[in-house]
Amino acid sequence: MPLATVSDWRAAARRRLPRFAFDYLEGGAEDGRAMARNESAFGRIGFVPRSLVDVANVDMTATLYGQQLAMPVAVGPTGLNGLYRPQAEEKLARAAGRAGLPFVLSTASTSRIESVRAAACGPLWLQLYVQNDRRIAERWMAKARSCGFSVLLITVDTPVAGTRDHYRRNGFTLPLRWTPRLLLDIARHPRWCLSTGVHGMPQMVNLADCSEQRADITTQAATMAQEMNRSLTWTDLAWLRRHWNGPVVVKGIGCVDDARLARQYGADGIVLSNHGGRQLEDAPTAIELLAAVVDAVGGSMPVLMDGGIRRGSAVAKAVALGASGVLLGRAPLYGLAAGDEAGAEEVLAILRRELEVTLRLLGRPVLRELGRSDVTRI
């Protein structure tokens, strides 16, 4: 059966992946309310369509940080993608580039930055977690600069990992503990097992390189989870500036006051985000915050958002409420997990087609001209 929607690709990914891998992709914090609201909040925003408008041609293009994009979308940073496919980040970068979109490489990536650079055919951005030993982040930024990465996203909503009950239910640890339950789970997914058996379990190779550690997932996971810098403050944006000569974007903003502080301390943009509902349960959704944040800082910096983008119409709603762009997290991973690189490309193509149809039916053929008069609360 053809996979017509992002939800179809999600279902296909669930069939192909062992439960522990799918739950890592899909799971949220605690009872999953924040993650569920990320999607449902879009359903409370309606459109105000106009008729008898010339919609023969549709313009969905955008400009972000001097880069011309096919639509105001980036393939956002996600970690441990090698759980779903080997060479995951290379494939995501190629899919994004072919779609005319940036790809954001995570600190927790499983493909070496040099390999991603060689594979990419579009803009590359870097997502950064800061460990207690800041030399790791400094090496990471230096390597990214040398590889032509242009935009830095500093993630600020993860001083600790959120409470993720599915980890405990599935016995998910790094490295994996080979329990009878886990072995049975893997045995029921032979295609994933064969692929992983050939290529081996993923490693956070860039983190290992920059921390000068051996390629051992246990050590890498400890560096990520136990050595996150919990003393990071707004004044540390100045430290980042000394090591990054491009735009610095603060990712993980969850209130209007912090958006104002980001502007005050010289950020070049913000990403409204509750980390895909994986961190603080009952944190606000980005789409709910968007209009108020744009009113507070609009015009002074780009305001991006993520969380719950499963339809092209969601992109239109975000732009109408003032977003300069959106980041995709789970959606392209569903395509990658179920259909490899071609699946990731198809998910991006689905969102593009849906966005084009939305603009035509809305009677607003130029995406960047959308405004609040084009949406309503329902």
Side-chain angles (χ1 to χ4, degrees), residues 1 3 5-17 22 25 81 83-85 91-92 191-192 330-347:
M1 181 178 68
L3 303 179
T5 68
V6 172
S7 293
D8 290 343
W9 281 98
R10 175 188 179 277
R14 187 170 193 168
R15 290 191 295 270
R16 181 183 176 273
L17 293 176
F22 182 77
L25 190 169
N81 293 332
L83 277 178
Y84 319 126
R85 292 282 179 174
K91 293 170 180 177
L92 289 168
R191 290 185 299 161
W192 180 91
R330 293 180 176 94
L333 294 182
Y334 298 148
L336 179 75
D340 212 353
E341 188 174 324
E345 285 192 53
E346 178 57 21
V347 164

Side-chain angles (χ1 to χ4, degrees), residues 169-187:
R169 293 190 188 105
N170 295 330
F172 181 78
T173 61
L174 293 174
L176 294 177
R177 288 199 300 264
W178 297 104
T179 64
R181 178 181 177 183
L182 178 61
L183 290 170
L184 180 60
D185 182 20
I186 290 173

Side-chain angles (χ1 to χ4, degrees), residues 218-232:
T218 304
T219 305
Q220 297 156 18
T223 300
M224 282 291 295
Q226 299 171 15
E227 299 184 20
M228 294 292 285
N229 192 311
R230 296 168 190 170
S231 62
L232 207 66

